[in-house]
Amino acid sequence: MSRLVIVSNRVPVPDKGGIAPAGGLAVALKVALEEHGGIWMGWSGRSSGENEPEPLAQLHQGNITYALTDLTDTDVGEYYHGFANRVLWPICHYRLDLAEYGRKEMAGYFRVNRFFAHRLAPLVRPDDVIWVHDYHLIPLAAELRQMGLKNRIGFFLHIPWPPADVLFTMPVHEEIMRGLSHYDVVGFQTDHDLENFAGCLRREGIGDELGGGRFSAYGRVFKGGIYAIGIETAAFAEFAKKALTNKTVRKARESIEHRSLIIGVDRLDYSKGITQRIDAFERFILANPAQQGRVTYLQITPKSRSEVPEYEAMQRTVAEQAGRVNGALGAVDWVPIRYINRSVGRHILAGLYRLGKVGLVTPLRDGMNLVAKEYVAAQDPDDPGVLVLSRFAGAARDLKGALLVNPYDIEGTANAMARALSMPLEERKDRWKTMMDHLLEHDVSRWCRDFLNDLATSPDPSG
């Protein structure tokens, strides 16, 4: 059986006791690696300063090798903080106003991908299958092909793929498209993303759709497919049930008392719609004065990318906004919004999801959004909460029992909160069961299996 080689920007390295981080994606990919044997390669998250990085650090655990490389300060600045997070990320989330193009950063992005390829190539055997993850590493296959590697190489994009008019604002859009053509399978989260990709090929006259999910571009034939990522549904449901006995979760339940809990969990990012969500909660309370003192909104928002100025500014904005609403609406015995600006353990989150009468997941744009799926999986089947979900999250294509909202429509989102809190038990149970059945069938292991099966049977690249 061929080995599996996974490449991602960051690698969830097991601790000294051999325990890897508990996220669903990390669990699924680790299971796939254990099954096939292989390598997980990526950036260590550390900088070597101005010095050339040391040779790859390799950690062997069973039949898996974790291979980590440091990057120089210049590499981190240009590749990661620069092009990946200040050009590709905003463009893919339709935020042209936030994209900052710099030739230096663009060159750094392609240079670091070449560096990754040169570090990875000596580890790869001729029959290895390579699976590359996310927007940081789009040019990696092209670099590996240039070095003579003929292996099957797949790519999965975890974030949205924008339409042609958005993508083409990026000066190097053609190099990005050409980079994707060097993969044997290019995977997207939703049908909308795949349609946008096909539209980009057609608009530039650089490729054709051949039918059966096959595309041709730049003299190569490859498969483009939809692979909606899932979670480890059954395990997470059990996790949430047990989490109710956790001390922190018990204290949270006691402090909420008789109130209904609305919960939002998001990394601090402008794509998540957090400021619009707080506005909607304020509108909901003002329009439903009987709910004053009877509902608590818990927003958990760990900091992220604080080296990027937009994120630092956003951190202040969200904190000030939550403070303003609490000052305007709160009472001596009631704080409407509890805002937490740090990470909370996944075992605690699972219990908090289960306490939530409403899960508020309203990004302005999101590739999938696994919080929505975790919220559903965490519910008590006999008394489930209601998911209020943005129609612009990839998860909206999967979770048909959610109340879909336009996050830009503040009043509409506020009305959805009111509807969710007053929804009869039987309707809540019906909606939840529809979603839970789907999540049990389409879990993260199935996602992993489907992608790798398609990669194993991908078309002949020469056509």
Short mmCIF file of all heavy atoms in Angstrom, two decimals, residues 34 51 70 73 189 227 242 253 257 276 307 417 432 445 447 449:
data_model
loop_
_atom_site.label_atom_id
_atom_site.label_comp_id
_atom_site.label_asym_id
_atom_site.label_seq_id
_atom_site.Cartn_x
_atom_site.Cartn_y
_atom_site.Cartn_z
N GLU A 34 -1.98 6.65 10.10
CA GLU A 34 -1.71 5.37 10.79
C GLU A 34 -2.05 4.19 9.88
O GLU A 34 -1.38 3.17 9.89
CB GLU A 34 -2.51 5.31 12.10
CG GLU A 34 -1.90 6.15 13.20
CD GLU A 34 -2.83 6.30 14.40
OE1 GLU A 34 -4.04 5.95 14.28
OE2 GLU A 34 -2.36 6.77 15.45
N ASN A 51 19.06 33.67 10.43
CA ASN A 51 19.88 32.53 10.02
C ASN A 51 19.07 31.55 9.17
O ASN A 51 17.85 31.46 9.31
CB ASN A 51 20.41 31.79 11.25
CG ASN A 51 21.21 32.70 12.16
OD1 ASN A 51 21.97 33.53 11.66
ND2 ASN A 51 21.05 32.56 13.46
N ASP A 70 11.74 25.16 10.50
CA ASP A 70 11.62 26.56 10.89
C ASP A 70 11.64 27.41 9.62
O ASP A 70 11.99 26.93 8.53
CB ASP A 70 12.79 26.98 11.78
CG ASP A 70 12.79 26.25 13.13
OD1 ASP A 70 11.78 25.59 13.45
OD2 ASP A 70 13.81 26.33 13.84
N ASP A 73 12.80 34.99 9.70
CA ASP A 73 11.89 36.12 9.98
C ASP A 73 11.31 36.69 8.69
O ASP A 73 10.13 37.03 8.61
CB ASP A 73 12.63 37.23 10.73
CG ASP A 73 12.81 36.93 12.21
OD1 ASP A 73 12.15 35.99 12.70
OD2 ASP A 73 13.62 37.61 12.87
N GLN A 189 -14.95 22.88 -0.59
CA GLN A 189 -15.94 22.57 0.45
C GLN A 189 -17.36 22.44 -0.11
O GLN A 189 -18.14 21.62 0.37
CB GLN A 189 -15.95 23.68 1.52
CG GLN A 189 -14.65 23.82 2.31
CD GLN A 189 -14.58 22.89 3.50
OE1 GLN A 189 -15.24 21.84 3.54
NE2 GLN A 189 -13.78 23.24 4.48
N TYR A 227 -15.89 18.17 -1.41
CA TYR A 227 -15.65 17.30 -0.25
C TYR A 227 -15.93 18.14 0.99
O TYR A 227 -15.04 18.80 1.53
CB TYR A 227 -14.20 16.80 -0.23
CG TYR A 227 -13.76 16.16 -1.53
CD1 TYR A 227 -13.19 16.93 -2.55
CD2 TYR A 227 -13.95 14.80 -1.75
CE1 TYR A 227 -12.80 16.36 -3.75
CE2 TYR A 227 -13.56 14.22 -2.96
CZ TYR A 227 -12.98 15.00 -3.95
OH TYR A 227 -12.60 14.43 -5.13
N LYS A 242 -20.62 13.84 28.32
CA LYS A 242 -19.76 13.67 29.50
C LYS A 242 -19.29 15.02 30.05
O LYS A 242 -19.02 15.16 31.25
CB LYS A 242 -18.54 12.82 29.15
CG LYS A 242 -18.89 11.35 28.93
CD LYS A 242 -17.67 10.55 28.54
CE LYS A 242 -18.04 9.07 28.36
NZ LYS A 242 -16.95 8.32 27.71
N ARG A 253 -23.22 26.63 34.13
CA ARG A 253 -24.67 26.33 34.19
C ARG A 253 -25.30 27.01 35.40
O ARG A 253 -26.38 27.59 35.31
CB ARG A 253 -24.85 24.81 34.27
CG ARG A 253 -26.30 24.39 34.37
CD ARG A 253 -26.40 22.89 34.55
NE ARG A 253 -27.19 22.29 33.50
CZ ARG A 253 -27.22 21.01 33.22
NH1 ARG A 253 -26.48 20.17 33.91
NH2 ARG A 253 -27.99 20.55 32.27
N GLU A 257 -28.16 30.33 35.64
CA GLU A 257 -29.39 30.15 36.41
C GLU A 257 -30.54 29.78 35.48
O GLU A 257 -30.45 28.85 34.71
CB GLU A 257 -29.69 31.43 37.22
CG GLU A 257 -28.63 31.73 38.27
CD GLU A 257 -28.83 33.08 38.92
OE1 GLU A 257 -29.25 34.02 38.23
OE2 GLU A 257 -28.55 33.19 40.13
N GLN A 276 -21.53 42.44 13.60
CA GLN A 276 -22.92 42.40 13.13
C GLN A 276 -23.78 41.55 14.08
O GLN A 276 -24.96 41.86 14.33
CB GLN A 276 -22.99 41.81 11.72
CG GLN A 276 -22.43 42.72 10.63
CD GLN A 276 -20.92 42.58 10.44
OE1 GLN A 276 -20.23 41.98 11.26
NE2 GLN A 276 -20.42 43.15 9.37
N GLU A 307 -0.37 39.89 15.12
CA GLU A 307 0.71 40.64 14.45
C GLU A 307 0.18 41.43 13.26
O GLU A 307 0.84 42.33 12.76
CB GLU A 307 1.81 39.68 13.95
CG GLU A 307 2.43 38.80 15.03
CD GLU A 307 1.64 37.52 15.29
OE1 GLU A 307 0.48 37.42 14.78
OE2 GLU A 307 2.15 36.65 16.01
N MET A 417 -33.26 34.90 16.19
CA MET A 417 -32.99 34.59 17.60
C MET A 417 -34.31 34.43 18.36
O MET A 417 -34.48 33.49 19.14
CB MET A 417 -32.16 35.70 18.25
CG MET A 417 -30.73 35.78 17.79
SD MET A 417 -29.84 37.05 18.74
CE MET A 417 -28.74 37.68 17.48
N TRP A 432 -33.23 19.11 14.45
CA TRP A 432 -31.96 18.56 14.95
C TRP A 432 -31.70 17.18 14.35
O TRP A 432 -30.58 16.90 13.92
CB TRP A 432 -31.99 18.48 16.48
CG TRP A 432 -30.78 17.76 17.02
CD1 TRP A 432 -29.54 18.29 17.20
CD2 TRP A 432 -30.69 16.38 17.37
NE1 TRP A 432 -28.67 17.32 17.65
CE2 TRP A 432 -29.35 16.15 17.77
CE3 TRP A 432 -31.59 15.32 17.41
CZ2 TRP A 432 -28.90 14.89 18.19
CZ3 TRP A 432 -31.15 14.07 17.82
CH2 TRP A 432 -29.83 13.87 18.21
N SER A 445 -14.15 11.17 8.97
CA SER A 445 -13.48 9.98 8.42
C SER A 445 -13.97 9.70 7.00
O SER A 445 -13.19 9.33 6.12
CB SER A 445 -13.76 8.76 9.30
OG SER A 445 -13.21 8.97 10.58
N TRP A 447 -15.09 12.01 4.92
CA TRP A 447 -14.48 13.06 4.10
C TRP A 447 -13.06 12.65 3.68
O TRP A 447 -12.70 12.77 2.51
CB TRP A 447 -14.45 14.35 4.93
CG TRP A 447 -13.56 15.43 4.39
CD1 TRP A 447 -13.86 16.30 3.38
CD2 TRP A 447 -12.24 15.77 4.82
NE1 TRP A 447 -12.79 17.16 3.17
CE2 TRP A 447 -11.79 16.84 4.05
CE3 TRP A 447 -11.39 15.25 5.82
CZ2 TRP A 447 -10.53 17.42 4.21
CZ3 TRP A 447 -10.14 15.82 5.98
CH2 TRP A 447 -9.72 16.89 5.19
N ARG A 449 -11.73 9.63 3.61
CA ARG A 449 -11.79 8.43 2.76
C ARG A 449 -12.18 8.79 1.33
O ARG A 449 -11.56 8.34 0.37
CB ARG A 449 -12.80 7.47 3.37
CG ARG A 449 -12.50 6.00 3.22
CD ARG A 449 -13.31 5.13 4.16
NE ARG A 449 -14.71 5.48 4.25
CZ ARG A 449 -15.30 5.88 5.38
NH1 ARG A 449 -14.62 5.98 6.50
NH2 ARG A 449 -16.59 6.18 5.40
#
